[in-house]
Structure formats: structure tokens, C-alpha cells
Amino acid sequence: MPGMNKARIAVFVSGGGTNLEALLKAQETGQIPHGEIVLVLSSAAGAYALERAKNHNILGFAVPRKGAAQEVFEAGLTEKLEEYRIDMIILAGFLSILSEEFVKRWPDRIVNIHPSLIPAFCGKGYYGLKVHEAALERGVKLTGATVHLVNEIPDGGRILLQKAVEVQPDDTPEVLQRRVMERAEWVLLPQAAELVAAQIVEEGQEKNV
């Protein structure tokens, strides 16, 4: 879309960056026309996600959480967000907790993904592989992923998108995790990014009228 303003997106990561990779590929294939990922921030210095960002010519920085006070950590994040004029944040495998004060500065602008159909298997202690272990222990036939806006602490906020994924009888937590990522998380994240980015662009255009 020539000449169109785009929402400037920062992606927060902590590990390997598979969800980041899905977002970057979606951007490169035109699935996020109203947004542009311009910055990746990692809470861990050695996160492979930073290499993924580099491979796609996206700026990436570590803002280490380990050993830093919450205020210092969030001040480091905010400095980068302001420097690169970020409009929205996507939490893509970001394992650090953000304070309520930080979240309140970004109303309807922080997108998070959770590997279950909220309200199932969410809240304290439910993250990563633990979610899929719980789903298998409960014996559910359907699981999936949910993208939501982070407007409250802990996992509150408005649900944007959900996608169900079938659980197979012989699933292990690792196999189920991979299926949920491939069939739900990697599909929903770009869609959610475009939804929020389009809203930001529309609001900007209305202000300029």
C-alpha cells in the first residue's frame, strides 16, 4: 500500500523466537499491511530470537531481566520503545512479567498469545509446555491458542482471536505444543497484529482529518 502510514511494531521475546519467525515471514508475504515490525527486544541476552531478527534485517536488542529490578528493566524497555517510536507491542514467547504500571501506558496496544483456549489452562503457573501437559492430564479433546490484548494484570484483557486444535490420543506435550504452534499460534499472531495495526492507522488518520 504505497504511501500508507504503518503502525510501528516491537516484538518482545525471551527464547528461540519461533513465533517471531512466523510474524516476520507473515510480514514479508504481505499479511500485515498496516504494520511494520521494526524492533525486537529480548529479556535474555543469549536468546536465539535476536539472531532471527538479524537474519530478517530487523533491529534487535537485549534488555536483560536477570538481576535487574523491575523498574530498571522496564525503564530499559521504555527507552528503546521511545527511541524507535513504537506504536504497539507483541509478546511472542516473552516470559518476563510486566508491571501494571507499564501495561497501563499501552492501552489496547499490547498483544499476547497464550497456548490454550482461554479461560482454560491460563493464569499463574500456566506457560510453555506446562499448558499442554495440563491439557493432556485433563483429557480434553480440543485445545488451541488465544490472542488477547493485555490491559490488566495478570492475564486480563480483551480476547481478539481464538483457534481450536484437536488433541490426538497418542500426543505427548511436545507433539501437542508443536501442533498448536503450527495450526493456531502462527496463524493467529499475524492476524492479530494486522487487526491492531489497522486500528492504530485508522485512529491516526481520524486525528489528521
Side-chain angles (χ1 to χ4, degrees):
M1 293 187 183
M4 185 189 75
N5 289 329
K6 295 190 177 189
R8 295 172 64 82
I9 302 170
V11 182
F12 285 12
V13 296
S14 294
T18 51
N19 280 345
L20 169 66
E21 185 76 24
L23 281 164
L24 292 172
K25 286 180 177 177
Q27 174 168 284
E28 290 166 0
T29 55
Q31 296 177 53
I32 315 175
H34 288 88
E36 182 181 5
I37 298 167
V38 298
L39 182 66
V40 174
L41 295 179
S42 171
S43 61
Y48 184 67
L50 292 174
E51 282 298 310
R52 292 185 190 271
K54 184 179 178 182
N55 291 341
H56 289 266
N57 298 312
I58 304 295
L59 286 171
F61 300 95
V63 182
R65 177 67 184 94
K66 190 174 181 181
Q70 186 76 21
E71 297 82 4
V72 173
F73 172 60
E74 291 183 352
L77 295 174
T78 299
E79 181 182 349
K80 290 297 183 187
L81 294 173
E82 291 177 350
E83 181 181 352
Y84 290 95
R85 308 186 316 281
I86 297 303
D87 297 306
M88 64 176 284
I89 298 165
I90 299 176
L91 308 180
F94 187 66
L95 300 180
S96 297
I97 300 297
L98 295 168
S99 71
E100 190 165 356
E101 181 183 354
F102 183 94
V103 167
K104 281 181 176 178
R105 292 192 218 114
W106 294 86
D108 293 329
R109 294 292 181 267
I110 302 178
V111 174
N112 188 35
I113 190 155
H114 185 73
S116 79
L117 298 174
I118 290 175
F121 312 115
C122 65
K124 189 173 182 181
Y126 285 110
Y127 62 90
L129 206 60
K130 295 179 185 295
V131 177
H132 306 291
E133 290 171 347
L136 292 175
E137 286 170 9
R138 188 75 59 85
V140 298
K141 303 299 183 187
L142 280 179
T143 185
T146 303
V147 179
H148 62 103
L149 293 170
V150 182
N151 289 331
E152 302 170 22
I153 299 296
D155 289 319
R158 177 163 59 90
I159 290 176
L160 285 176
L161 299 166
Q162 288 188 309
K163 185 171 173 57
V165 175
E166 287 187 1
V167 179
Q168 302 298 333
D170 56 349
D171 274 345
T172 64
E174 292 81 5
V175 168
L176 182 57
Q177 181 183 50
R178 184 71 186 185
R179 187 183 307 118
V180 170
M181 284 194 297
E182 290 178 348
R183 298 188 186 179
E185 294 182 44
W186 298 350
V187 174
L188 294 179
L189 265 178
Q191 292 177 355
E194 172 57 14
L195 273 175
V196 177
Q199 182 66 34
I200 292 170
V201 170
E202 182 181 338
E203 290 174 3
Q205 290 171 341
E206 288 174 355
K207 286 178 183 176
N208 294 327
V209 170

